[in-house]
């Protein structure tokens, strides 16, 4: 063997070297036993040249060349040689089947396997991994079972590599089936079989193959564990880890990467910490996949500080670890930290991928940093990711939440192959901006294009109905959830319906709906309490407030609302009593504030706050606007000034509301005609709503205000909400 390989090395170093037929024959015999001796594609081509020179018509030698080519995924060269064989031997078939599979040509791989069987060639254990891989990626369960039967008949099911390939096939089939189900929205992809039936079938097959294996290695165990974990069989996966320990095998990096997401799913940080300790003890903390799994686990358990700590001690960081820590920050509301890390990733010359942008765009949406969002959009276009449906959906969401609904619609219109996420982002965007009819039209169009609504899409359409007061349409969609789409109403759906009833003044209907819930939360009761304030129903407000304090005694917003309801009704003693209770409990009301982005900087305003460097200039601008508004017929509505003071003082308090100060600053800081965009953390009051309509007409600008409920587009003295908010 050594001398033969020496001949090979000499030939490969010097393709023009003279070799005898005997030497080439010995060489090819050696390669049949050890094809891995060829270490590059160029060496494979040089070997082929020697075959053509000395014995081009030999099926055995040609098959050897095909085998070597297939090791380097050289499909075209392999096919050219394969087609020269009138009766391809077993080695040629095995090689071409493998080469098709590694190049993603799964149909051709399976067709070659059928041809191999028809030609009388008997497959061995080396061919089945490729065939089983093809069955998995083609989502062909029945063909996979047929191949499994063939393996059993040939007595190869006891072979370790074949057994591992079978386990891997059933695990991937289930994972791909569930992915296909999500894509097709739970339509039946296995003729006449329900999703649960298929789940049970896969789990049974997976366990059966594993149990019949006489020899198992760490790959066998890891494949079953990962398959169970990925397909939601978490308890089975953890039980297998314990059994693996009993079999004398220790978890490795693949085992740990498979089970850490389970603790993230269960939000079980204690168990996750135990695994983290094991990782450190056995030195697995240096592995990037394990580190990324730990980062994700801590993030899902809302332990972002621990997530960042793991990230910082990871020596070699790749895009996955950066994406994990950035996504963890954003998902846990640490938007500024997520943006800081994203900038640091760019400084470290780590090229962001599609997942990177999908992870960071929600931070821009929540912070409503439009300029930064535009910069990222430009970066996305330069990187060529603007045709990625996930990124495009994030851009739709970002522009909609930053007040640019028209830009969101333009991006949505350019998305090819829209999925549920992109449709839902656009529908919700229309809903928040008050364009209910557009939202309904999109929802119906989505269904016509074969996308079945999920629970998020239902929430979006109910929100649209709520913001437009379309009570009949809202009821119809709510009733269809279970009947037509098989979706049980969740908290968000009840909240949207309760909000719809409340906005229309049907407070008793809202109360009855919430009472039918198994465990209504303080948040959903608070929607009704807020409506009680708008519709001045004190008796129901007291009843609702008691419900809130039963489930959430420290609910700040509810106590503030109740105090305001009493004050609005002139019951100052009751209002004072509620506020005294808040002080005794150490509860403080969050101040109303508004913010505006000007020249890439966020400016925050609080009522009557004098800290802004342009405080005096803003006051002058407000006074000028006030004079023009009064000339246009403005009369202050002091009914919502909930302080026991005289009318003049109430007017003064109204003039200093935070959104007015932000708007005045925006007008004086931007060129004429520029749209003013302001965010407010609570509901805009009636008087400010009236004032901003007049301001938009006086200054000839569009003013977009986003409060805690929706967007208001003020233009030419009108508002997009139609006085309904």
């Amino acid at each position: 063997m050594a001398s033969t390989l020496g001949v090979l090395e000499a030939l490969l170093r010097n393709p023009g070297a003279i070799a005898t037929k005997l030497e080439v024959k010995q060489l090819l015999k050696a390669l049949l036993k050890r094809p891995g001796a060829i270490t590059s594609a160029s060496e494979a081509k040089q070997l082929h040249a020697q075959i053509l020179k000395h014995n081009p018509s030999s099926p055995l030698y040609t098959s050897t060349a095909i085998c070597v080519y297939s090791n380097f995924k050289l499909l075209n060269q392999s096919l050219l040689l394969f087609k020269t064989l009138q009766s391809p031997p077993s080695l040629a078939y095995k090689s071409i089947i493998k080469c098709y599979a590694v190049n993603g040509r799964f149909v051709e791989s399976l067709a070659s396997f059928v041809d191999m069987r028809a030609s009388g060639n008997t497959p061995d254990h080396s061919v089945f991994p490729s065939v089983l891989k093809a069955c998995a990626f083609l989502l062909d369960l029945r063909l996979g079972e047929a191949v499994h039967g063939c393996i059993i008949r040939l007595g190869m099911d006891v072979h370790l590599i074949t057994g591992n390939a079978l386990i891997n096939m059933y695990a991937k089939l289930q994972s791909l089936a569930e992915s296909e189900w999500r894509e097709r929205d739970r339509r039946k992809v296995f003729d006449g079989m329900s999703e649960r039936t298929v789940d049970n079938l896969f789990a049974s097959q997976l366990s059966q193959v594993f149990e019949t294996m006489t020899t198992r290695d760490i790959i066998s165990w890891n494949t079953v564990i990962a398959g169970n974990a990925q397909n939601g069989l978490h308890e089975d996966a953890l039980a297998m880890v314990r059994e693996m320990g009993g079999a004398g095998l220790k978890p490795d990096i693949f085992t740990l990467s498979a089970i850490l997401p389970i603790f993230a799913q269960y939000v079980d940080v204690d168990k996750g910490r135990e695994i983290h300790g094991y990782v450190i003890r056995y030195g697995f903390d240096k592995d990037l996949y394990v580190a990324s799994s730990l980062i994700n686990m801590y993030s899902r358990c809302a332990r972002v500080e621990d997530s960042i700590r793991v990230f910082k001690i990871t020596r070699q960081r790749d895009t996955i670890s950066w994406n994990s820590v950035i996504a963890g920050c954003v998902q846990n509301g640490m938007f500024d930290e997520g943006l800081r890390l994203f900038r640091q990733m760019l400084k470290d010359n780590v090229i962001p991928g599609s997942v990177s942008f999908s992870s960071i765009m929600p931070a821009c949406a929540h912070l409503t940093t439009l300029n930064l969002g535009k910069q990222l959009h430009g970066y996305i276009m330069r990187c060529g990711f603007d045709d990625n449906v996930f990124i495009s959906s994030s851009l739709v969401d970002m522009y909609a939440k930053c007040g640019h609904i028209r830009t969101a619609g333009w991006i949505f219109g350019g998305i090819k192959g829209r999925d549920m996420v992109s449709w839902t982002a656009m529908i919700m965007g229309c809903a928040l901006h008050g364009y209910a009819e557009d939202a309904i039209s999109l929802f119906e169009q989505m269904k016509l294009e074969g996308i079945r609504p999920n629970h998020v899409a239902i929430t979006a359409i109910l929100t649209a109905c709520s913001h437009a007061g379309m009570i009949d349409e809202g009821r119809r969609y709510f009733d269809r959830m279970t009947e037509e789409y098989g979706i049980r109403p969740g908290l968000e759906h009840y909240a949207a319906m309760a909000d719809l009833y409340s906005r229309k003044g049907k407070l008793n209907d809202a109360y009855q709906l919430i009472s039918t819930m198994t465990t209504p939360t303080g948040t959903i009761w608070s929607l009704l309490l807020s409506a009680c304030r708008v519709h001045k129903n004190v008796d129901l407000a007291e009843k609702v407030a008691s419900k809130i304090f039963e489930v959430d005694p420290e609910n700040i917003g509810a106590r503030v609302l109740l105090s305001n309801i009493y004050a609005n009704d002139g019951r100052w003693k009751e209002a004072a009593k509620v506020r005294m209770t808040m002080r005794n409990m150490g509860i403080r009301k969050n101040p109303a504030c508004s913010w505006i982005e000007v020249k890439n900087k966020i400016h925050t305003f609080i009522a009557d706050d004098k800290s802004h460097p342009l405080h005096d200039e803003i006051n002058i601008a407000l006074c000028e606007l006030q004079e023009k508004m009064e000339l246009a017929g403005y009369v202050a509505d002091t009914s919502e000034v909930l302080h026991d003071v005289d009318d003049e003082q109430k007017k003064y308090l109204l003039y200093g509301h935070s959104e007015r100060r932000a708007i005045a600053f925006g007008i004086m800081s931007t060129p004429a005609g520029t749209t003013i965009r302001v965010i407010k953390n609570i509901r805009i009051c009636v008087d400010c709503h009236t004032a901003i309509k007049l301001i938009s007409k006086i200054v000839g600008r569009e003013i977009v205000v986003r409060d805690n409920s929706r967007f208001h587009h003020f233009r030419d003295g009108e508002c997009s909400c139609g006085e309904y908010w």
Side-chain angles (χ1 to χ4, degrees), residues 339 363-374 398 402 597 602:
L339 287 169
C364 298
H366 284 277
L367 292 173
T368 61
T369 50
L370 180 60
N371 285 328
L372 179 58
K374 286 181 176 179
M398 184 274 293
C402 288
E597 184 179 4
I602 303 294

Side-chain angles (χ1 to χ4, degrees), residues 396 399-400 403-413 426 429-430 433 435 675 677 702 704 713 715:
V396 169
Y399 277 113
H404 264 270
I405 189 64
R406 286 187 288 273
T407 306
W410 175 76
I411 293 170
F412 176 77
M426 194 65 226
C430 290
H433 285 265
Y435 303 122
T675 299
R677 303 179 190 280
E702 180 180 5
V704 181
H713 291 256
R715 190 186 299 112

